[in-house]
Amino acid sequence: MFLDSRELPKGTLQYIGRLEGSLLIKAEEFNGAVEVWKEGDEIFFINEMPLEEYVKGVVAAESGKDWPLEAYKVQAVIARTYALSQIKKNQGLPFHITSTVMHQVFKNGPYDEKVTRAVEETKGEVILYNGEPIEALYHSTSRETTEDPLEVFGFSYPYLRPVKVTARLSPYSSWQRSISLREIEDATGIRPIEDIYILTRTSTGRAKEILIKTPSGTRRIKAQDLRRLLGWQRLPSTDFEVSRQGDFIIFRGSGYGHGVGLSQWSSLDMVLEGKSYREIINYFYPHTTIGRI
């Protein structure tokens, strides 16, 4: 697992050495083996650990506090599946997966008893399509419908299709952000900005392409790129409307994340309705099976 991976190496990493035991890195403790790599003046750390211990850290970081056991089981199975798909995809690299939103957020223990129990009771369970672990994409919140991966990532799978969802308990069921024109100019490099419009939308109604008006003409930018440039938390999703008020652009929207695959807060709603973790997984990833590795 590549630690603190806000930026990945741009060239060839040089292996420095390997440390064993309990290590404190940037005020956070990591256990097991940690490899140290270097690129130029930058030092990078790669933590090696058993898969099931890694899954506990992802469930603890990616799920809500005090969620029901069944909701943690959902997260355990999709986190394990996603990790295995990345291990297969990144064979030959010095790391398989990162510890941030670039892949899955991870945090060290101690863990809640329900988190540990959920991982242990689903040990080895993964979601399979044609006998292989799927790319189990997931996100925090969608309001009404999840997104088509073709709209976001440019690829499509039979098991990743838009489905109806709820967001009754999510803090991101609706939100508003007032972002200054200067902040958008600094983030995009486009200036001066006179106004912003939504030019096109995806098949599920999310903003797809943004039109930015300047005195010299207009510029187009993908909504996903605008969100990335401003910051994933600054602009929680692309499911929004825009308007200008003075020197600010007002974004009124709902949802958090790219919108593809399982919606975690909708999964919680389904657990509270009495659905099992297997039923929930089968709903969000149709045409798949749950197997054990």
Side-chain angles (χ1 to χ4, degrees):
M1 177 177 58
F2 197 86
L3 304 181
D4 195 31
S5 53
R6 284 184 291 271
E7 293 214 12
L8 294 177
K10 299 177 178 62
T12 302
L13 285 170
Q14 177 187 355
Y15 180 71
I16 302 299
R18 180 182 176 94
L19 306 171
E20 300 276 355
S22 183
L23 304 170
L24 195 65
I25 302 173
K26 293 187 177 181
E28 188 170 357
E29 186 177 3
F30 291 90
N31 297 304
V34 175
E35 292 182 352
V36 183
W37 295 71
K38 181 181 180 183
E39 181 187 66
D41 295 330
E42 296 288 328
I43 298 295
F44 299 97
F45 299 96
I46 299 173
N47 190 200
E48 180 183 301
M49 65 173 59
L51 176 62
E52 296 301 322
E53 286 302 309
Y54 167 76
V55 173
K56 291 177 187 177
V58 175
V59 174
E62 288 279 5
S63 302
K65 186 178 180 181
D66 297 326
W67 279 16
L69 174 65
E70 208 71 9
Y72 288 147
K73 286 184 176 182
V74 172
Q75 186 64 56
V77 175
I78 61 176
R80 186 182 296 111
T81 304
Y82 183 80
L84 287 175
S85 71
Q86 292 302 307
I87 288 171
K88 181 178 180 180
K89 182 183 296 186
N90 294 322
Q91 287 181 11
L93 295 179
F95 65 93
H96 295 128
I97 199 165
T98 67
S99 62
T100 68
V101 293
M102 191 175 295
H103 288 122
Q104 298 186 121
V105 181
F106 172 90
K107 73 175 183 179
N108 282 293
Y111 304 122
D112 181 275
E113 182 272 335
K114 283 191 295 185
V115 169
T116 299
R117 183 179 164 192
V119 175
E120 291 176 348
E121 291 187 6
T122 63
K123 183 177 180 180
E125 290 187 353
V126 294
I127 310 167
L128 302 174
Y129 180 76
N130 288 340
E132 295 290 335
I134 69 168
E135 190 155 358
L137 296 174
Y138 61 92
H139 62 285
S140 168
T141 306
S142 286
R143 179 178 53 178
E144 295 178 350
T145 309
T146 59
E147 183 61 289
D148 187 335
L150 196 62
E151 302 276 18
V152 181
F153 302 112
F155 59 72
S156 181
Y157 295 115
Y159 54 79
L160 283 178
R161 291 286 186 267
V163 297
K164 296 293 184 181
V165 292
T166 58
R168 288 188 287 269
L169 300 176
S170 173
Y172 291 95
S173 59
S174 64
W175 48 261
Q176 178 174 309
R177 297 288 187 272
S178 299
I179 304 180
S180 69
L181 291 172
R182 175 171 291 183
E183 182 179 346
I184 299 173
E185 290 169 349
D186 290 343
T188 62
I190 302 172
R191 56 172 53 88
I193 295 176
E194 293 183 340
D195 212 339
I196 291 180
Y197 306 94
I198 297 174
L199 187 62
T200 60
R201 292 188 179 274
T202 70
S203 58
T204 63
R206 292 166 169 84
K208 183 174 184 177
E209 198 173 20
I210 303 297
L211 188 71
I212 299 179
K213 183 181 178 182
T214 71
S216 59
T218 58
R219 297 276 297 275
R220 296 184 178 194
I221 185 174
K222 291 181 179 179
Q224 288 287 347
D225 288 340
L226 179 63
R227 182 172 175 245
R228 173 180 56 82
L229 291 168
L230 287 171
W232 305 120
Q233 291 182 320
R234 190 76 174 103
L235 196 58
S237 78
T238 58
D239 190 359
F240 56 71
E241 303 285 346
V242 295
S243 61
R244 178 173 176 177
Q245 292 183 8
D247 292 331
F248 290 84
I249 299 296
I250 310 301
F251 295 84
R252 294 183 176 89
S254 64
Y256 187 16
H258 49 62
V260 178
L262 181 137
S263 172
Q264 292 163 306
W265 283 92
S266 182
S267 170
L268 175 63
D269 285 342
M270 295 173 74
V271 167
L272 296 177
E273 290 170 355
K275 297 289 193 299
S276 72
Y277 78 98
R278 287 176 172 268
E279 290 175 305
I280 294 167
I281 288 170
N282 288 334
Y283 177 74
F284 282 101
Y285 307 107
H287 312 297
T288 64
T289 60
I290 297 177
R292 189 180 297 274
I293 58 168

